[in-house]
Amino acid sequence: MASKARELANLGNAYSDGALSNRNKILNGNFDVWQRGTSITSNNAIDYIADRWATFANGNITTSRQSFTAGQTDVPNEPTYFVRWDVNTYASGDNYFQKIEDVRTLAGQTATISFYAKADTAITIRPRFIQNFGSGGSAEVVTAVDVANVTTSWQKFTITTSIPSISGKTIGTASYLEIELLRITDSFTGYIDLAQVQLEVGDTATPFEHRSYGQELALCQRYYYKTQDNFYSMHFVRSYNSGNVYYGLFQLPVPMRADPSISFESNSIRLPS
């Protein structure tokens, strides 16, 4: 664990880089927000679990929320949860990733990714960044970074790399910077645990930036919003009935990144009388 003097020095370096606040480009890096549920098994699919994070599975992988024991000291700052990425059947290309809105993010800059990880069996992960220029944009650019040798004990990993410039590139619609963090290229079955992920500008890994649950939830709801269990719990701004169809207008908690699509978990919907 870093000393207080080291942490203060890191914060000083971060200040010099102009990144003292809002440092972390990763959303839900503390794995506090789980609007979609707390476990999912992915088989030849992409599934989001833990807001903003997704599993890409060519094989069969179970991703789940796990709880830290109160008072543990292996991962500092008393985090509540970590994510467990359990590879039941391995296939090439399996990874756990996050897409960060706008390919301009960190472009042409030095960036540092830091995180805590452990596994049930020692495994090497090979993270990489993908700059995707969106629909109508230039071809994506892939940047491999240093490997991380994960062991059976929690440890902090820090990887610094240069994100390529986007000079001369064409940016289309819905561009993004993707980080494939839990990316394995060797045959593997077992689990990898991940906690406190931070991506920031500069060559220094600063102490993990904490945001309140409310702040983190609002940031995540820009991309996904789940109502309470019953449809009638939504706040209707205006509603009316036309024949057998009930129309309602409700207020989203935050402006969303794009016009959302809507899906229902049940065909049975109770409406306010």
Side-chain angles (χ1 to χ4, degrees):
M1 183 182 298
S3 67
K4 291 296 181 183
R6 178 70 261 176
E7 289 187 359
L8 288 171
N10 288 344
L11 284 173
N13 290 339
Y15 180 80
S16 297
D17 289 336
L20 188 59
S21 61
N22 298 314
R23 304 188 308 277
N24 197 357
K25 306 302 181 184
I26 293 291
L27 297 187
N28 203 25
N30 210 34
F31 299 102
D32 288 322
V33 183
W34 298 74
Q35 292 188 89
R36 291 174 172 85
T38 57
S39 181
I40 195 168
T41 297
S42 307
N43 188 356
N44 294 316
I46 296 177
D47 288 309
Y48 283 83
I49 193 74
D51 277 55
R52 300 306 302 140
W53 292 95
T55 289
F56 177 83
N58 281 321
N60 184 284
I61 298 173
T62 299
T63 311
S64 63
R65 186 179 74 184
Q66 304 291 319
S67 298
F68 280 105
T69 301
Q72 61 80 34
T73 57
D74 293 325
V75 179
N77 307 311
E78 283 291 341
T80 304
Y81 302 118
F82 60 94
V83 67
R84 173 160 292 175
W85 198 65
D86 198 346
V87 181
N88 307 308
T89 305
Y90 168 80
S92 178
D94 291 343
N95 67 83
Y96 193 56
F97 67 93
Q98 182 170 141
K99 294 179 179 180
I100 302 168
E101 186 178 346
D102 196 345
V103 73
R104 296 175 180 85
T105 303
L106 298 176
Q109 299 185 75
T110 298
T112 297
I113 181 76
S114 57
F115 57 94
Y116 284 83
K118 68 177 179 68
D120 63 342
T121 303
I123 180 66
T124 298
I125 61 174
R126 293 172 168 82
R128 66 181 187 177
F129 289 94
I130 299 175
Q131 291 169 295
N132 186 292
F133 293 86
S135 177
S138 299
E140 67 182 21
V141 176
V142 178
T143 303
V145 302
D146 289 343
V147 302
N149 296 310
V150 181
T151 68
T152 56
S153 299
W154 283 112
Q155 57 181 315
K156 185 175 183 178
F157 296 90
T158 300
I159 301 172
T160 298
T161 192
S162 295
I163 306 297
S165 168
I166 58 174
S167 177
K169 301 293 186 181
T170 299
I171 301 177
T173 304
S175 69
Y176 57 86
L177 173 67
E178 178 178 331
I179 179 169
E180 295 181 348
L181 189 52
L182 296 186
R183 178 174 171 267
I184 52 178
T185 58
D186 302 316
S187 183
F188 172 77
T189 55
Y191 65 78
I192 305 173
D193 295 337
L194 181 66
Q196 290 198 340
V197 183
Q198 181 153 290
L199 173 64
E200 56 195 310
V201 66
D203 59 3
T204 304
T206 63
F208 185 77
E209 180 182 13
H210 287 271
R211 291 186 283 256
S212 71
Y213 178 81
Q215 288 176 305
E216 207 72 52
L217 177 62
L219 291 170
C220 292
Q221 286 176 332
R222 173 171 167 78
Y223 304 91
Y224 178 85
Y225 169 54
K226 183 177 180 179
T227 69
Q228 300 298 317
D229 291 337
N230 296 309
F231 188 75
Y232 67 78
S233 67
M234 288 191 292
H235 173 63
F236 281 94
V237 178
R238 183 174 67 253
S239 59
Y240 64 94
N241 187 290
S242 176
N244 294 322
V245 180
Y246 192 94
Y247 296 88
L249 176 66
F250 64 93
Q251 186 69 49
L252 293 166
V254 300
M256 301 195 77
R257 181 190 66 84
D259 292 340
S261 59
I262 298 175
S263 61
F264 299 101
E265 294 183 347
S266 172
N267 290 326
S268 176
I269 302 173
R270 289 183 289 171
L271 300 171
S273 58

